[in-house]
Amino acid sequence: MNLTPGTRFGPYEILSPLGAGGMGEVYRARDTRLGRDVAIKVLPEHLSAHPEVRARFEREAKTVSALNHPNICTLFDVGREGDVDFIVMELIDGETLATRLQKGPLPINEVLRIGSEIADALDQAHRAGVVHRDLKPGNVMLTRAGAKLMDFGLARATGMTGTGKDSGVTIGALTQSPTMAQPLTAEGTIVGTFQYMAPEQLEGKEAGAGADIWAYGCVLYEMATGKRAFQGNSQASLITSIMGTQPAPISQVAPMTPPALDRLVTACIAKDPADRLQSAHDIKLQISWITEGGSQAGVPKPVSARRKSRERLAWIVAAVAVLAAGALAFVATRPRPVAPSVHAYLQPPKGVLFSSSIDKPLPLAISPDGTTIAFCARDGEGPDKLWVRSLGGDDAHALPGTEGAQ
C-alpha cells in the first residue's frame, strides 16, 4: 500500500512515508485536531485478510497502550478506515540502533547508557505482563532524549500469574512470520529476527521474559563489538550456532570492554533460560554497578546526551588543578604576598582532545619559568602529539615529528 500525501484517516492527514516494517508501513501524518505531527502505522492490504496477522496488529495496539515509560514509544490512537487498520504513535526524531551499528560499534559509555535505558523499558513491560518477543536493533530508536523501544508487533500480554500455553511458534511458522524479511540476502546471509531469537523460541517452547533477556544480551553484544553474537550463511547454520555455540568474548573483540560487561552478556545468553539473569531489573542494577565502577574498570562513565562528555570534563578539571598548583608555586617564589586563591581554566584547541595515559593520568607539563605549557593531545582521529602554548595566551600548536609522544 502506497499512501499518497493528503490521504486522510479520520483527523489524520498523511504527509510522507517513513518506512516499512514486518507488521506494517509507517507514515508521517498530521493530527489536524491537535496540530501535531504523528507516526501512523497501517497494516498492508495484502495482509489485512489474514485473521492471525490482523489479530497481531490489534494486539500491538493494546499492548503498547498499556505501557507508559519514557523509553517506550507512546501510542496515541488506534482506528480503522474502510478496510485499513492503523495505529497512531508519537513521531520519533532519530535513527534506529540498526542504522547506527552500520557505522561500527558504539563507545562503551554509550553502550552502558543505551543498555540501561532498554533494560529499564523491558523491566516496565515485564512488570505489566508484556513480553516484547522481537527485541532487535531495528526496534530501538536513538533520540536526543534517549533510546525508545518500539514495535511490539509480536508481544503478548502474559498476565502477572498465568503461564500461557498459546505462544508456541514453530520454525515453519517463523519463516512465514510478518516480522521476517526475505530469508536470505543476495550474499546468502540470513536476515531478520532469527539472530536474536532464544533457543526456546526456535524450539517452539514458551517465550517468556527470558526470551527478551536473551535478545537483550545479543543486542548488547552487537553494540559493544559491532558484530552479531550469532551468525550463519543459512537458517540451518544460524540455528545451529544459536543452539550449540558461544560467541567470542566481548573483551576479545573489543579489548577495552570492562570484564563485568562480558559477564553480564554471558549471563543473558545462557542456553538454558534458568541459567540466565531472571529479570530486566537485575540487568539494570548490574549496568548501574558497571557504570559506577567505570574508573576502576578502565572505561568512562556514561553521561546524558544533553551534557558534555564526562571524560573531557575530567581532563579539564585535572588541567585546572595542575595549572592552579603551578601558578601557586610560581607566585610563592615572588617577593610579594601570595594571593588568597588562583583560578585557572584550560580547554584544548578547537577540534582537539587531551590524550590519556595509564602511566601519566595528567598529560600536562609546565615550564620551569611558569610561562609555557606542554601537553599531549590528538586532532580528531589522528595520533597523539606534543602541543605547546603560552600560559596566558591562546597560541597552542602541535610540534612536528612528535607523533605517539607522552
Side-chain angles (χ1 to χ4, degrees):
M1 177 186 301
N2 293 317
L3 300 179
T4 57
T7 303
R8 295 291 289 262
F9 286 92
Y12 307 106
E13 180 181 354
I14 299 298
L15 299 179
S16 61
L18 291 176
M23 285 298 289
E25 299 170 351
V26 185
Y27 295 85
R28 177 189 289 268
R30 184 73 173 173
D31 184 342
T32 57
R33 293 173 306 180
L34 300 179
R36 66 180 176 185
D37 285 358
V38 296
I40 288 185
K41 177 182 284 189
V42 299
L43 193 65
E45 284 184 282
H46 70 282
L47 297 177
S48 301
H50 295 272
E52 178 188 356
V53 175
R54 186 175 173 187
R56 285 179 178 175
F57 188 77
E58 293 174 351
R59 183 166 61 221
E60 176 179 6
K62 293 177 181 179
T63 297
V64 179
S65 67
L67 302 175
N68 182 17
H69 189 276
N71 298 117
I72 296 178
C73 181
T74 302
L75 174 68
F76 292 143
D77 196 4
V78 61
R80 182 175 176 83
E81 186 74 16
D83 295 330
V84 178
D85 295 283
F86 66 91
I87 58 176
V88 183
M89 305 169 291
E90 66 173 311
L91 182 64
I92 299 176
D93 183 17
E95 65 177 353
T96 66
L97 179 57
T99 299
R100 168 59 185 84
L101 285 171
Q102 292 176 3
K103 305 173 186 176
L106 280 64
I108 292 301
N109 61 335
E110 291 188 31
V111 172
L112 295 176
R113 176 180 60 80
I114 295 171
S116 178
E117 292 168 349
I118 296 175
D120 202 26
L122 283 179
D123 181 37
Q124 175 77 10
H126 292 170
R127 288 175 186 270
V130 174
V131 179
H132 192 286
R133 295 206 303 174
D134 198 22
L135 176 59
K136 56 187 177 183
N139 281 338
V140 177
M141 284 290 291
L142 304 180
T143 75
R144 290 187 177 183
K148 289 270 189 180
L149 188 54
M150 303 176 60
D151 202 349
F152 283 76
L154 287 183
R156 66 176 175 83
T158 62
M160 296 306 292
T161 58
T163 58
K165 297 182 179 180
D166 59 343
S167 61
V169 181
T170 64
I171 294 299
L174 287 173
T175 61
Q176 303 300 321
S177 168
T179 63
M180 293 294 293
Q182 293 297 323
L184 295 176
T185 65
E187 293 76 17
T189 301
I190 191 168
V191 297
T193 311
F194 267 89
Q195 285 87 350
Y196 310 95
M197 281 188 174
E200 63 268 26
Q201 284 180 288
L202 297 177
E203 291 177 339
K205 297 179 181 178
E206 178 74 14
D212 280 352
I213 290 175
W214 167 282
Y216 175 90
C218 294
V219 171
L220 205 61
Y221 183 97
E222 193 167 343
M223 283 196 292
T225 65
K227 302 178 182 297
R228 288 177 172 168
F230 301 96
Q231 302 185 59
N233 293 326
S234 66
Q235 292 184 4
S237 62
L238 177 57
I239 293 171
T240 299
S241 175
I242 293 173
M243 301 297 294
T245 66
Q246 291 291 340
I250 294 179
S251 55
Q252 179 178 320
V253 182
M256 294 303 294
T257 304
L261 183 62
D262 222 338
R263 291 192 294 269
L264 173 60
V265 170
T266 299
C268 289
I269 59 174
K271 307 297 184 185
D272 188 339
D275 295 333
R276 294 176 205 153
L277 287 172
Q278 295 302 297
S279 74
H281 181 69
D282 290 341
I283 293 174
K284 185 173 63 173
L285 291 178
Q286 289 214 24
I287 288 186
S288 177
W289 176 82
I290 296 172
T291 300
E292 292 302 319
S295 57
Q296 288 81 8
V299 297
K301 297 182 181 181
V303 297
S304 167
R306 291 170 292 183
R307 293 184 295 170
K308 291 182 179 180
S309 164
R310 192 180 296 272
E311 180 184 18
R312 182 178 179 184
L313 181 60
W315 285 120
I316 293 175
V317 171
V320 169
V322 171
L323 289 175
L328 283 171
F330 176 66
V331 171
T333 62
R334 302 181 65 180
R336 64 183 182 184
V338 178
S341 64
V342 175
H343 299 275
Y345 184 77
L346 175 66
Q347 273 193 313
K350 186 176 180 180
V352 175
L353 295 176
F354 287 126
S355 304
S356 61
S357 171
I358 295 176
D359 315 304
K360 300 178 181 179
L362 303 176
L364 294 167
I366 300 177
S367 63
D369 62 0
T371 62
T372 307
I373 304 169
F375 57 94
C376 295
R378 63 180 180 274
D379 188 358
E381 298 297 326
D384 293 346
K385 293 183 180 180
L386 281 182
W387 292 64
V388 294
R389 57 159 287 180
S390 59
L391 183 62
D394 191 19
D395 54 349
H397 62 278
L399 299 180
T402 61
E403 287 80 4
Q406 295 183 3

